[in-house]
Structures are given as C-alpha cells and as structure tokens.
Amino acid sequence: MSTPGDGQNLNSLRSALEKADFVCTAELVLGRDHSVTEAEAFVREAAQQANGIKIISLTDLPGGNPALPPEAFVSYVLEHHLIPIAHLTGKDGNRSFLEGRLHGLARLGVENILALTGDAQKEGFAGKSKPVYDLDSVLILWLIRALRGGLEYSLGAKTVRTTPFDFFAGAVVNPFKVREPDLLMQFYKLQLKVAAGAQFIITQLGYNLRKLYELKQYMIREGIGHIPVLANVYVPTAKIAQMMQAGEIAGCVVTDELIKRLGGEKKPQRLERAALMVAAAKDLGFAGAHVGGFGLTHKDFMIIVERAAVIGKDWRGRMDELVFSYPNEFYLLPLSGDGLSDGAADYQVARAKPHASLVQRLSEMVHRHFIKDDSFGARLFGSRLKVGGQPPKTNSWRHGLCYRLLEPSTLYRKATLGCVSCGDCLQDHLDYAGCSMRWCYKELRNGPCGGSRVDGSCEARADLPCVWNKIYLGTLAMGEDPSKFAHLLIPPRDWNLDRTNALANRFAGLDNLGKRIDLRTPLKEG
C-alpha cells in the first residue's frame, strides 16, 4: 500500500518483519503543545541519513495526559519518506470515535497501528478527565480486523459497507510482572490479542532480560512463536526511573539496584546499557528493538544501534547489566545455566488451589440450577421473555410480571459482587470473583491492562487490588483453567442494556452470552 502522493513509500515495518530482518524503531512522545520542534528535528535527521531510523512510533496521549494525537504528526513523518506507527488507545474515545480515527488514519495513508487500552487519566483542563474505555486493546484489534473487509451499516433503506483497509495491527504485552497472577494474565491476554488479529507485538519497557526472554519461550511453547516481537529498550534517567518505581509511569518494574546505578551514570553509560539490550534482543531472536527515552536525539539512537552491532554476541558476558531482578520475583520457568530461564522445563505455577469464597460457591450453584442454559429458570423465563424463541424487539416486556419477579437478583449482585447494573453481566465468565465493571478502573472485559503495580494493586488506585488478579485466583478456586482468558473474546458492553436487569436480559437472549467468541475456532475475514 502506498502513501498518498508517493507511490514509493512502502511499509518497511511490515516488510522487515515478514522477511525476519531485525528492525529498530524509535518512539516519539508527542507533548501537549502543537509545537513539536524536537520531534520534527528527529524526523528530519532520520530522513537525511541513509542508515537512519526509518520507522517512527507516535504515542497517543501517553500517561493519561493531554497531548498531541498521532494523527497530527503522521503526515510529517510520511512526507519525509519514513514509516509511522500510530498508537491508538481506548481511554479517551468511544467505539464510534475510534472507528472514525481509524478511517482518518487510513485516509492519511497510515498502515501500522499499535492498539492499546491506554493509561489511567491524569489532570487535564479544569480537573481530571472522564475515563472512557469503551473498547479495550483486544476489541480495538477486533475492530481493525473487521475494517479489513469493511463494516456493514445502514444508510436509509440500503445496507452499505465501509471501504476496506488493510491495517498492520500490533499490540503490547508486559512480561515484567513480578507476581504469578499478574504475569499469567498478561500472557493469556497476549494470546487473546494474537487471536483477535495482532500481527506484531511490542513489549512494555523493562529491565530484566530473563523476564523478557521468558516471553519468547512462552510464545514458542504456546504456538504463537511466529508472531514477531520487538523488545522495548527505554533509556531512563535516575529521576525517570524513580517516577516509574513510584507508579507515576504505569506498569514499570524498576529495582532499587537499577536506580542506584543510574544515579552514578552519565548519558554514555545509559546508552551503552541500551545497546547491550538491543544486541541481546537480536541474538535471542527478537524481531527488533523499540527504542525510546526522554530527550534523546537521533544521534543518540544511532549510537545505540551502531554500538549494539559492535557488541554482537558479547552481551552474554555482561548479564549483570541486563538482569535487575525484583525480590521474590515470580518466574514462569526455572533458571538455566546461562542466566536465563530454561525453556524446556515445566511451568512453575502454583500447585495449591485457592479456596473459593462463599459468594462464589453460592453464585455458581444458583447459576448451575437456575440460570444456565437448560436449567429450570432458563426454560421457565426464557419461554416467557423471548418472542418466538427470539430476543424481544421492544422494551415493553420490561414492564411485565416476569421482569419484576427477577428484580431481586440485582440486589443480590450489588450486595455480593459490586454490581453497577450494566445489564450485560459476565460474572459466570469471571467465576463470580468480582465485577470488573465496578472494581476495574478501566472497566475491562477481556483481561487486565498492563499497568498494575508491583504489589498487584490498581494502576489508578494504589489502595485497590487489581480485580483481574482476584479473578485469576478465583478461577483456580472454582476448579477452572484460567487459560480460558486466552481464547474467549467478550464483546463490548451493550449500552442499550445500561441500568436494566442483567438476569432478565440473559433469559431474554439480549446479553453478551451468545455473542462471546471462542477464538480457537478459525474465523473467516469480513
């Protein structure tokens, strides 16, 4: 696919990854102002050098702060015959706006999209902004997949289809989590992202090569090793590392030892560590390196890339500069003799099964005998709430006797699970471990974001445990395999059902149950 006005601009990211050529990309963080002189200077210098960075990644309001969106800068990148990766997050716009942004990016000639859920909102104009999160990263990938064949919609009496566009879609995973629930849920969500359409992966930034390589080992063992992974190589200062450790930059794992070393280092030493990481990533079979750092110039990037080529395989003798392990950190695989993990060994998951709560046991029993398909309740109420075996077309049924009889179920959900009356419940999928619409800041329906803190607490609320960690443990407690979160896609929340009775919607066939998709079954595009 070509860029508008230039038939020579090919997607070098896609071609490099398809040919298994190691590629280095640069991440530019666009600021709040419309003046982007530093980013423009970086692009100009990259374009002027034959061996310069050719792929520029542009952030989408990072850190939850107001900023220039990638759409405002991609044309400048394309005009200089470079290739952009536009980040697209769900934190600031609903599904209609996200689709509109994708159509806009397609019109600009952008092919590469990095789908993210997005950081928790920070302060904006006149206070904190409202979080949206209508679509998470998995559902953004699902939308991009649908756009490849064009989306059908009604235009008056006619059914028409949007113009197809073949985006090259990527996603992010955080392999640096230090607790079993956080890490395994990250890996499961990665598998779901790949099944939903992710064609390349960029890791969260981190400073533990063993954890980074475990990601590759896991992907190979789980049958997704063919998906190219770019290792995130971020060059921090001591101050930025301290912000990461404090949780001001979400999802980062930074040890005291790394901060201590950074405190005594100058920029050349920090660039040297980055070069070591790039060399290691290439030698270990990663598809590329995604390089970033506050205030770095294009010259700094080239120092990293050129120095990495000189280091080559010699990085193995400097492992202490690349593995900063957190105290009591969970590793999925045991240590091998080379200082990395043993990819052939058994997974080190907890063998002891957690205890299910009373609420879980009671809720599951009610579900099994009264709600589940073919149960007494499903037969009784389904036959009365559906019209000819199909979901009702109007809301008149909500004023009937059957609907009123089911109203106490909402009180139970609120008292035991924190129900917020979304009307589109998925508690059976979550094994009644807690409502993600209530206890997840981002109201995620397809697994956790990557922003949880080292202790497993929420990115946005340090006093609140990440509900997805509780869901992982609750799933084990109920005797289920949490790997179900790696393949079962939950559709976005249906806002037509907001503030209605979820149980009645289930019996009427209106909720998400029949719309869930098991992505282990191959689907046809379009």
Side-chain angles (χ1 to χ4, degrees), residues 405-457:
L405 287 173
L406 294 171
E407 286 180 348
S409 66
T410 299
L411 299 177
Y412 171 82
R413 291 170 191 264
K414 287 183 178 180
T416 59
L417 300 167
C419 176
V420 294
S421 298
C422 75
D424 201 10
C425 188
L426 59 149
Q427 275 302 310
D428 57 309
H429 177 59
L430 305 182
D431 288 290
Y432 303 97
C435 176
S436 66
M437 298 293 96
R438 168 70 179 274
W439 301 115
C440 175
Y441 171 85
K442 302 176 185 180
E443 299 184 349
L444 302 182
R445 299 167 75 84
N446 285 290
C449 70
S452 63
R453 299 168 190 261
V454 170
D455 63 357
S457 61

Side-chain angles (χ1 to χ4, degrees), residues 212-221 225 229 284-286:
L212 179 67
Y213 189 51
E214 271 198 350
L215 169 67
K216 282 282 293 178
Q217 293 169 314
Y218 179 85
M219 292 178 69
I220 291 168
R221 288 176 59 154
V229 180
L284 290 172
F286 286 85

Side-chain angles (χ1 to χ4, degrees), residues 34-81:
H34 64 276
S35 175
V36 285
T37 54
E38 290 183 1
E40 289 176 345
F42 189 102
V43 168
R44 287 195 302 271
E45 190 172 349
Q48 289 166 3
Q49 295 191 26
N51 63 340
I53 302 292
K54 301 304 178 189
I55 302 166
I56 307 296
S57 183
L58 303 170
T59 56
D60 184 20
L61 284 65
N65 298 303
L68 197 70
E71 294 94 316
F73 200 69
V74 291
S75 293
Y76 192 81
V77 174
L78 290 166
E79 288 165 6
H80 285 79
H81 308 292

Side-chain angles (χ1 to χ4, degrees), residues 43 67 122 145 156 181 185 188 219 223 257 262 296-297 313 328 341 425 451 461 485 490:
V43 168
K122 300 289 178 60
R145 177 182 179 140
M185 289 300 283
Y188 296 149
M219 292 178 69
E257 175 60 24
L262 288 169
L296 295 187
T297 65
K313 296 180 180 295
N328 302 314
S341 292
C425 188
R461 288 188 54 186
F485 298 112
I490 306 298

Side-chain angles (χ1 to χ4, degrees), residues 88-281:
L88 186 66
T89 67
K91 66 184 187 299
D92 300 307
N94 65 17
R95 67 196 76 180
S96 298
F97 186 60
L98 288 170
E99 183 189 335
R101 289 185 68 187
L102 285 165
H103 289 308
L105 288 164
R107 183 170 178 79
L108 291 169
V110 176
E111 291 184 57
N112 305 311
I113 302 292
L114 188 67
L116 307 101
T117 296
D119 297 328
Q121 279 75 4
K122 300 289 178 60
E123 291 299 309
F125 168 71
K128 188 175 182 178
S129 58
K130 179 182 178 180
V132 181
Y133 300 106
D134 191 28
L135 300 185
D136 61 23
S137 53
V138 174
L139 295 172
I140 293 173
L141 289 165
W142 197 244
L143 169 60
I144 291 171
R145 177 182 179 140
L147 286 172
R148 292 195 184 107
L151 286 175
E152 282 191 356
Y153 66 99
S154 298
L155 188 63
K158 297 191 302 182
T159 298
V160 295
R161 187 179 289 270
T162 62
T163 304
F165 194 87
D166 187 20
F167 286 110
F168 189 54
V172 174
V173 64
N174 190 339
F176 301 105
K177 298 297 185 183
V178 303
R179 301 167 70 253
E180 178 183 330
D182 302 79
L183 183 64
L184 266 296
M185 289 300 283
Q186 277 295 300
F187 284 174
Y188 296 149
K189 190 163 184 177
L190 167 66
Q191 290 174 266
L192 189 63
K193 289 175 180 178
V194 171
Q199 296 159 286
F200 67 95
I201 301 296
I202 298 177
T203 68
Q204 168 67 287
L205 59 93
Y207 303 96
N208 186 334
L209 183 65
R210 181 181 167 193
K211 298 285 285 190
L212 179 67
Y213 189 51
E214 271 198 350
L215 169 67
K216 282 282 293 178
Q217 293 169 314
Y218 179 85
M219 292 178 69
I220 291 168
R221 288 176 59 154
E222 298 300 324
I224 55 172
H226 60 287
I227 300 297
V229 180
L230 281 72
N232 196 325
V233 180
Y234 188 87
V235 186
T237 62
K239 183 176 180 180
I240 289 177
Q242 288 168 348
M243 293 173 61
M244 293 175 176
Q245 190 182 63
E248 295 180 43
I249 301 176
C252 302
V253 179
V254 177
T255 65
D256 292 337
E257 175 60 24
L258 177 59
I259 291 176
K260 181 180 177 181
R261 291 201 192 187
L262 288 169
E265 292 178 349
K266 303 296 183 184
K267 180 187 276 191
Q269 294 164 292
R270 299 197 298 270
L271 297 181
E272 175 72 6
R273 182 180 293 106
L276 271 175
M277 182 63 79
V278 173

Side-chain angles (χ1 to χ4, degrees), residues 443-522:
E443 299 184 349
L444 302 182
R445 299 167 75 84
N446 285 290
C449 70
S452 63
R453 299 168 190 261
V454 170
D455 63 357
S457 61
C458 174
E459 162 196 340
R461 288 188 54 186
D463 62 322
L464 190 69
C466 173
V467 71
W468 287 97
N469 293 339
K470 296 176 66 176
I471 290 167
Y472 172 84
L473 296 172
T475 300
L476 290 174
M478 295 300 288
E480 286 203 54
D481 185 351
S483 67
K484 67 180 182 179
F485 298 112
H487 59 80
L488 192 60
L489 183 144
I490 306 298
R493 175 175 170 179
D494 185 347
W495 284 87
N496 285 318
L497 306 179
D498 190 41
R499 307 301 176 187
T500 62
N501 188 296
L503 184 56
N505 294 334
R506 170 65 58 90
F507 289 145
L510 291 169
D511 74 345
N512 65 83
L513 180 64
K515 304 170 190 173
R516 299 175 190 177
I517 303 172
D518 190 337
L519 294 180
R520 289 175 298 186
T521 303

